[in-house]
Amino acid sequence: MCLVLFAKNEWKGFPILILANRDEFFDRPAKVAEFWKEEPSLLAGQDLTSNGTWLGVTKKGRISFVTNRRDMREPKLESPISRGKLVEGFLKSNLSPADYEKQLLPDLHHYEGFNLFLSDDSGAICISNKGNGTVSIEPGIHTLSNAFWNSDWPKTKRLRESFEEIRKFHPSSEPLLPIESFFGILNDNQIASDLNLPDTGIGSEREKLLSSIRISLPGYGTRVSTILAISDAGKFFFYEKTFLDPFSADGCTVSFQFQLES
């Protein structure tokens, strides 16, 4: 994943709400979200290069996603472990977020920079292996891109503001989520101005090209938009839209609904 909004106790009737975009090269093979045959409780897309995933959930209520920590001035590892394995490993385990973090600690240097979100019924944390440590996730509207948890980049600020605008005008008595409106803000391709662009070592022109919520560049961009919600009654709602190319006006959507298992 490269851009995520995580809302905890911010939408009436839905204590957990996630909006996310995965940015990747379009020639990297991947499967759309489905329940995995070898792990029937696990719902996620699958990267067919590393066989890991970028975002997933389980019927037991485990949630995980990962974003890259982008800083091109840092030396590259010769044979890094795929960051998608971090998400897969947590979703397949029975460890709490805190215990999974302890298990990872000896091997953090084998991964390129990442931010890893982990959640179960014991709580939620975000782990960074590049200087920000571990953050406990409190109620509120949070964003994550390729810096640290709640780093204020133009795209994270725009995503948060757009979400708050939808929430402002959505009737609190309406039990259904405005899924198409959420997909609409994830499809926002407005480029940021030069003001407040991050500096990740790629130069101002490339920073600008990567500054929109949805990225559309030749061969690279937002491949998948995902919306995940959990209701007060423990029902999961999962929607994923896959774009066939960086400039597609719309994508193919799959959806799943299931009840949290005790």
Side-chain angles (χ1 to χ4, degrees), residues 189-210:
N189 60 7
Q190 180 171 319
I191 300 291
S193 68
D194 293 336
L195 187 65
N196 297 324
L197 283 174
D199 178 11
T200 63
I202 61 174
S204 59
E205 284 306 309
R206 289 182 67 194
E207 295 285 10
K208 197 166 183 177
L209 291 172
L210 298 176

Side-chain angles (χ1 to χ4, degrees), residues 34-78:
E34 62 182 5
F35 286 101
W36 291 16
K37 291 181 181 179
E38 73 275 18
E39 198 76 26
S41 175
L42 194 164
L43 172 62
Q46 191 169 25
D47 174 40
L48 295 180
T49 299
S50 70
N51 297 317
T53 187
W54 51 94
L55 178 151
V57 301
T58 74
K59 291 182 179 180
K60 294 289 187 182
R62 300 172 73 79
I63 305 171
S64 184
F65 54 78
V66 67
T67 72
N68 300 350
R69 167 80 172 102
R70 188 173 78 229
D71 190 339
M72 302 307 291
R73 293 159 295 208
E74 296 179 348
K76 291 288 185 182
L77 300 179
E78 287 189 10

Side-chain angles (χ1 to χ4, degrees), residues 16-194:
I16 298 294
L17 187 55
I18 296 172
L19 281 63
N21 276 347
R22 180 199 184 208
D23 304 328
E24 185 54 88
F25 289 100
F26 274 73
D27 62 359
R28 182 167 177 142
K31 284 185 179 180
V32 300
E34 62 182 5
F35 286 101
W36 291 16
K37 291 181 181 179
E38 73 275 18
E39 198 76 26
S41 175
L42 194 164
L43 172 62
Q46 191 169 25
D47 174 40
L48 295 180
T49 299
S50 70
N51 297 317
T53 187
W54 51 94
L55 178 151
V57 301
T58 74
K59 291 182 179 180
K60 294 289 187 182
R62 300 172 73 79
I63 305 171
S64 184
F65 54 78
V66 67
T67 72
N68 300 350
R69 167 80 172 102
R70 188 173 78 229
D71 190 339
M72 302 307 291
R73 293 159 295 208
E74 296 179 348
K76 291 288 185 182
L77 300 179
E78 287 189 10
S79 300
I81 304 173
S82 171
R83 288 165 284 207
K85 289 295 186 181
L86 295 164
V87 175
E88 179 186 357
F90 176 72
L91 295 175
K92 287 183 174 181
S93 80
N94 292 313
L95 296 175
S96 70
D99 287 340
Y100 189 70
E101 178 190 18
K102 291 176 185 176
Q103 177 179 282
L104 289 177
L105 286 177
D107 296 317
L108 291 182
H109 62 286
H110 292 306
Y111 298 87
E112 298 285 6
F114 68 77
N115 301 294
L116 176 65
F117 175 91
L118 308 171
S119 175
D120 70 0
D121 57 7
S122 70
I125 60 175
C126 186
I127 305 165
S128 170
N129 69 337
K130 292 294 182 179
N132 199 42
T134 300
V135 178
S136 295
I137 311 304
E138 301 297 330
I141 299 173
H142 306 276
T143 55
L144 178 65
S145 186
N146 302 113
F148 295 124
W149 189 258
N150 283 331
S151 290
D152 202 14
W153 281 14
K155 66 166 61 179
T156 58
K157 182 180 179 184
R158 186 172 178 84
L159 180 60
R160 183 187 298 110
E161 290 174 347
S162 297
F163 175 81
E164 290 175 337
E165 193 72 10
I166 290 174
R167 185 179 61 166
K168 184 190 305 182
F169 293 103
H170 185 73
S172 59
S173 59
E174 174 56 62
L176 300 178
L177 290 167
I179 299 301
E180 289 307 315
S181 295
F182 291 157
F183 274 133
I185 60 177
L186 289 172
N187 199 32
D188 183 349
N189 60 7
Q190 180 171 319
I191 300 291
S193 68
D194 293 336

